[in-house]
Amino acid sequence: MNPSRRKFLQQSLFAAGSLAFAAHAARAAAGPGPHPGAHDEAYWEKVRAQFPLTSKRVFLNNGTIGVSPYKVIDSVYEDMLDCDTFGWHGGGEQEALSALASFLGTKEEEISLTHNVTEGINIVCWGLPLAAGDEVIITNHEHVGHAGPWLNRRKLSGVSLVVVDLGKTAEETLHNISKAISAKTRLISVPHIPCTIGQVLPVKEICSLARQRGIWTCLDGAHPPGMLRIDLHDIGCDFYAGCCHKWMLGPKGTGFLYVAEDKRNVLQAYYGGAGVDTGWDLTTNPFLFKGYAESGHRYFYGTQNSSLYQGIARAVAFQEEIGRQAIEERVKALSGYLQDQLIRLHPDMDMLTPQEQISRAAQVSFRVKGRDMQKFQARCQEKEIIIRYVPENNIHCIRVSTHIYNTYAELDYFLSEVEQFVFS
Ligand SMILES: Cc1ncc(COP(=O)(O)O)c(C=O)c1O
C-alpha cells in the first residue's frame, strides 16, 4: 500500500475514532436502533459509538475477549450500586435464564448459568457416566478450555480420547468424524467454531450422525453465540457450553451450559448446594435428600453475581435491538472482505480458514511460509493492532476476529501492516 493511502487510512481511522469518542460522552443513552436493512456505514459508526472501545486501538481479538457496550456496563454498575445501596441481591439470574433461552432457542429449564466455557465443559466431562476405555471424539484444533478437562478425565479415569483432523471443508470434517466412530464411542465433543482457524463445523450433521449411532454430543460454543444465529434445538446437540464474554458482548466471567431436557437425568450433578436439590434435612434418619432440581439449576448453586447476570440480559437486548441477522451479515462481510484481500496480497499466503461460505464466519486465520507470525503479532501490538497468535497444536498462525465495532478502514490498516511486514 502506498504511503499516502496509508496516511489517509490512519487519519480517517482516528478521525472516525474521535467522532466516536465525542459520542461516548453521551453514554449512548439512545442506543443504535434497528439496522436500516441496507449497506450503511454511518449506521455502524453509530453502533461503534455505543462502545467505550478506544479509537487509538484497532481491536481485532474479540475471539479472546469481547468488549461490552455502555448499555451492558452501565446496567451492571447501576445494579451493583442498587444492591449495595439497599442491601439486597437478586433478580438478574432469572432475567439471564429467560434471555438466554430465547437467544439460543431452548427451554429456560435447559440453561444453567456458569462463569465461562471451561466450567460448562467440566460439568459435562465429569457428569457423564463414562468408564475406562469408553471413547470420546475430539479434534486436533482444541482450546485448553476443552482439551484440558478431557485430558484430565483421561488421566484420572482412563477414558480414551480419539483425536480427529479437521477437514478443509464441512464435508471432509464430517467424513473424518464419521470414520473415527467405533463401537466404543460414547461422546463426540467438538468445537462449534475452533479457536484456531475460525472454521464453522457442520454441527447439525455431526449431531444427527451421532444420534443415529446412539452417541452423545457436546459442543464447545465459545465463539458462535452473538456471531451466528443459533437454535440449539435445531442443531440437536445434547450439551452446549458457551460464554457471554466474546461475541455476545456480555460481562466478563459469564457463561452458560445447555443440557437437553432428556439428558438431565443422564448428566450427573457432582456439586450440591443452594438451587441444586429439591429439599434436604439433616435431622431425619436417614438424612433427607429429596432429589435434584428439574431445571438447569441442578448444575449451578450458591450466591451468584446477580448484576453480572442482569448484564447478560442487557447484552441480548442490545443484540436484538440491532437485529441478529444484521449482526451476522456484518461480521461475516467484514471477515469475508479481509479473507479475500489477504489471499490477493501474495501467492505465499497460507490461508487456513476455509473459503466455502458455510464454513467461514467472523474469524480469519493465516500464516506465511518462512515468516515468524509471533513476531508479526508483536509488531502489530506495537502499532496498537490487537490480534491473536495461535500456537495451539503447533499451528503458529495469526487469527483475526471481527465484530460490529470494527470498520473496513481498520481492516485496511491491518492489511497494510501485513503487506509491509510480511511481504516487503
Ligand atoms: C474454542 C474455545 N473453547 C473454550 C475456550 C475457553 O473459554 P472460557 O475462557 O470462557 O472458559 C475458548 C476461549 O477462548 C475458546 O476459544
Side-chain angles (χ1 to χ4, degrees):
M1 185 171 294
N2 71 46
S4 63
R5 166 125 176 91
R6 186 179 169 72
K7 194 159 175 230
F8 165 77
L9 281 174
Q10 262 170 306
Q11 277 168 351
S12 53
L13 192 63
F14 294 126
S18 46
L19 273 180
F21 185 75
H24 290 169
R27 297 294 277 182
H35 184 254
H39 183 71
D40 184 354
E41 284 309 304
Y43 173 79
W44 293 111
E45 268 181 39
K46 218 160 103 186
V47 168
R48 165 72 180 230
Q50 303 285 314
F51 294 84
L53 191 58
T54 176
S55 59
K56 297 194 172 71
R57 206 158 233 211
V58 173
F59 182 68
L60 294 167
N61 193 19
N62 190 84
T64 295
I65 199 82
V67 298
S68 296
Y70 285 118
K71 281 204 166 172
V72 170
I73 299 163
D74 288 350
S75 136
V76 171
Y77 170 74
E78 280 158 20
D79 195 64
M80 286 182 80
L81 196 61
D82 200 41
C83 290
D84 290 358
T85 301
F86 298 104
W88 74 291
H89 163 81
E93 182 176 306
Q94 189 46 46
E95 276 194 64
L97 288 170
S98 91
L100 282 168
S102 107
F103 197 69
L104 301 165
T106 72
K107 294 183 182 173
E108 215 171 283
E109 305 76 50
E110 293 175 310
I111 301 294
S112 306
L113 296 174
T114 63
H115 302 94
N116 48 47
V117 178
T118 311
E119 187 179 347
I121 297 287
N122 270 291
I123 294 169
V124 176
C125 177
W126 289 103
L128 281 175
L130 297 169
D134 282 350
E135 289 178 1
V136 175
I137 293 178
I138 60 171
T139 74
N140 60 345
H141 279 252
E142 303 302 343
H143 184 275
V144 62
H146 185 222
W150 285 114
L151 286 166
N152 196 26
R153 175 108 207 223
R154 176 180 181 273
K155 178 178 163 73
L156 298 181
S157 63
V159 161
S160 292
L161 300 181
V162 176
V163 180
V164 298
D165 288 343
L166 284 190
K168 287 196 168 47
T169 61
E171 199 182 342
E172 198 183 326
T173 298
L174 187 63
H175 175 73
N176 293 354
I177 290 176
S178 164
K179 263 193 355 203
I181 293 175
S182 80
K184 291 185 186 164
T185 309
R186 303 291 306 283
L187 174 73
I188 298 174
S189 191
V190 293
H192 188 166
I193 296 182
C195 66
T196 50
I197 60 169
Q199 165 171 2
V200 184
L201 266 64
V203 286
K204 191 169 171 179
E205 291 76 8
I206 293 169
C207 293
S208 161
L209 171 74
R211 223 174 14 258
Q212 287 160 27
R213 308 285 292 266
I215 296 166
W216 300 310
T217 45
C218 172
L219 299 176
D220 168 347
H223 299 270
M227 175 205 294
L228 306 176
R229 284 159 292 166
I230 290 175
D231 181 332
L232 292 181
H233 282 176
D234 182 55
I235 289 175
C237 56
D238 295 314
F239 313 106
Y240 193 100
C243 64
C244 310
H245 47 220
K246 294 189 196 282
W247 267 268
M248 276 189 71
L249 308 171
K252 278 77 186 155
T254 58
F256 64 87
L257 172 67
Y258 162 79
V259 177
E261 194 163 44
D262 65 336
K263 295 300 175 307
R264 199 178 297 135
N265 288 326
V266 174
L267 188 72
Q268 178 62 45
Y270 274 105
Y271 285 92
V276 171
D277 61 272
T278 53
W280 62 280
D281 195 335
L282 291 175
T283 64
T284 55
N285 186 9
F287 300 141
L288 175 73
F289 185 83
K290 248 188 178 169
Y292 297 101
E294 281 305 338
S295 72
H297 227 315
R298 189 177 288 208
Y299 308 107
F300 70 103
Y301 39 80
T303 307
Q304 303 281 338
N305 187 331
S306 170
S307 309
L308 290 185
Y309 289 147
Q310 196 190 68
I312 298 176
R314 295 297 168 272
V316 167
F318 180 77
Q319 296 227 351
E320 276 164 359
E321 179 179 342
I322 293 169
R324 294 178 66 188
Q325 181 175 343
I327 293 175
E328 181 174 328
E329 285 171 0
R330 173 69 175 180
V331 298
K332 283 182 171 174
L334 287 166
S335 270
Y337 170 78
L338 177 66
Q339 187 179 38
D340 296 345
Q341 295 301 315
L342 282 167
I343 291 167
R344 267 186 216 134
L345 271 186
H346 203 276
D348 285 349
M349 175 62 66
D350 186 6
M351 176 52 62
L352 300 172
T353 304
Q355 285 170 268
E356 65 170 355
Q357 292 297 336
I358 53 166
S359 296
R360 70 180 194 173
Q363 280 173 320
V364 181
S365 294
F366 66 95
R367 61 190 172 196
V368 179
K369 205 165 167 225
R371 291 289 171 157
D372 183 337
M373 301 318 282
Q374 193 167 15
K375 268 198 192 145
F376 174 61
Q377 188 248 345
R379 176 187 158 110
C380 284
Q381 178 92 26
E382 280 163 19
K383 301 257 173 144
E384 296 288 350
I385 300 173
I386 311 303
I387 49 175
R388 174 146 160 355
Y389 170 66
V390 180
E392 277 93 344
N393 310 304
N394 294 315
I395 296 171
H396 302 297
C397 67
I398 291 295
R399 183 193 71 193
V400 182
S401 308
T402 55
H403 211 328
I404 49 175
Y405 36 68
N406 294 125
T407 63
Y408 286 99
E410 288 177 326
L411 296 179
D412 283 341
Y413 180 47
F414 170 70
L415 281 161
S416 71
E417 280 309 311
V418 179
E419 201 173 9
Q420 282 245 327
F421 180 76
V422 185
F423 294 118
S424 63

